[in-house]
Amino acid sequence: MSQASETIDDVAATAAEAGVGAEAGGDDNFDEDYYLAVNPDVLDGIAAGYFVDGYHHYRLHGRDEGRMCAPLFDAAWYGRVYPMVAMDIERGRATDHWDHWRRIGRYRGYLPNPAAPRPENPSRVRARFGGLWTDAPDAADVIAGRHSIGTLSDRNAELLTGWIKDGYVILPGAIPAHLLDAAGTDLDRAYQGGFAALMFQCLSLNPNDIFWRPDINAKPAKALDLHWHSEAIRDLIFAPAIVEFLHLIFERKPLASQSLGFLRGSGQPAHQDTAYVVYSHARRFAASWIALEDVTEGAGELLYYPGSHEFPDFVYGERYKSLHEAMRMNVAGGNSLRDAEEQHGQGLIRQAEHRRMAEHRLLAKAGDVLIWHADLAHGGKPISNNATRRSVVTHYCPADVAPLSFEAGKSAIRAHGEAGYYSTVVY
């Protein structure tokens, strides 16, 4: 582990000197997917935290070991036998034949040369733990196809394309004023003790969930599943613009399984929700963050790393996507899993630095919505002033996917009109 950590910065620096991004590998012909497919032992090393990605291994070991970093590519043959290639390049979907095969053609089953073996399922989801249809490598083709036959509007095609690339979408001013005002009133009521049964998480006061008390309001805290108690919050989290986008990525009605109501920023370090928010299908969910007021600098604004949803999986206990599942199956002692949790968080920052991904922060306006992928690395900036950051976070899944709170006995489910369903992990 230590050897890999010490050399990550060196790898990124070498790639920078070569004039290309670390994702491209610093070698014009390096292909990450190919390298991992023909070197499964490298995947094990990445899961164990020894390497950031396949290119990291290639620079440290693979090149000297004589491992091939890309398939043989016959550009003339490729362009001749697949007529859609020229059309895609003309439309701006690829820059040349190699770029087309690397990002598009391989997932259609196009071969890089006439002697190459054909993959069994070229468009299967690459992530070990699956995902939504937008995680399939041919999702861009699906979007382009639906757009061309008129079943996807220009705006929604653009949103989905951004979702695939960045792992999030921002919907400015998506919440109507009447929904915003009603939800804000109920959030304020919650932080005045107005919901007697409502529980809060405030780790600086108590490691366990607690009922409201006045000193909560000065601390980073979360009102747990306020949507279970407040119709106004339910109307907010099922606002039409949110439901419309969830329909696009889920292709069925959503289930809101958990919500967190914030008076102040969380100050939470960068993390991936898949480590903590657990469903029967590990990566088949999404989350929304809704601003109930304008966010000012220093108020613990949201931070995130565009594209980080495609980081290699961090695996707990050598098998599980979530910390919860590893603990449930008792695959290791508590201390070692907590160490792994810390390594996971630190690894996200290293991944971002290695790929030269800039940290983004969201200085949202009231009514703005951020919807993010289950694996997007995100958190909260440190709080440096006394400003509030009134907002609501909600986790959603397709209605047929089960939050694992169901297995713990919290299996009540209710309909919110025709918009979708909601449940609770607390009550």
Side-chain angles (χ1 to χ4, degrees), residues 11-34:
V11 173
T14 302
E17 292 171 2
V20 298
E23 185 177 0
D27 292 88
D28 289 341
N29 67 336
F30 181 84
D31 184 76
E32 182 78 13
D33 285 359
Y34 174 85

Side-chain angles (χ1 to χ4, degrees), residues 355-368:
R355 296 166 186 248
R356 298 203 300 282
M357 287 181 174
E359 174 191 286
H360 286 221
R361 56 183 181 140
L362 186 63
L363 292 175
K365 299 295 184 182
D368 290 353

